[in-house]
């Protein structure tokens, strides 16, 4: 496996947690009523975030290069 950008993975996990909390936020006693396409935002968002950090931004906050 190639060297993955740890910052992108951490940001993607935070994205998943925030999206999960947002999608399941309903008044007490009611079930979440979301369209099915909303749940495709999980994998699409993770792929976009990790790709951005791997190929575009290329900055890794957790794995800094030694001088």
């Amino acid at each position: 496996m190639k060297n993955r950008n740890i910052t992108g993975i951490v940001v993607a996990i935070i994205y998943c947690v925030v999206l999960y909390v947002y999608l399941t936020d309903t008044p007490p006693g009611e079930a979440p009523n979301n369209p099915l396409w909303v749940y495709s935002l999980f994998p699409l968002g993770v792929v976009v975030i990790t790709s951005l950090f791997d190929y575009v931004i290329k900055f890794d906050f957790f794995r800094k290069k030694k001088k």
Side-chain angles (χ1 to χ4, degrees), residues 4 16 29 41 47 51 59:
R4 298 298 306 255
C16 286
L41 293 176
V47 167
S51 298
F59 175 74

Side-chain angles (χ1 to χ4, degrees), residues 4-8 58-64:
R4 298 298 306 255
N5 194 323
I6 304 298
T7 305
K58 296 182 181 178
F59 175 74
D60 197 351
F61 183 73
F62 296 102
R63 194 181 301 162
K64 295 185 179 184

Side-chain angles (χ1 to χ4, degrees), residues 9-66:
I9 294 172
V10 170
V11 170
I13 291 172
I14 292 171
Y15 166 79
C16 286
V17 170
V18 169
L19 187 63
Y20 174 77
V21 168
Y22 177 74
L23 290 177
T24 58
D25 185 35
T26 58
E30 293 184 17
N33 188 15
N34 299 318
L36 290 176
W37 63 268
V38 172
Y39 298 104
S40 68
L41 293 176
F42 280 103
L44 292 175
V46 169
V47 167
V48 168
I49 289 171
T50 54
S51 298
L52 276 173
F53 275 93
D54 282 343
Y55 301 112
V56 178
I57 298 173
K58 296 182 181 178
F59 175 74
D60 197 351
F61 183 73
F62 296 102
R63 194 181 301 162
K64 295 185 179 184
K65 294 182 179 180
K66 297 178 182 177

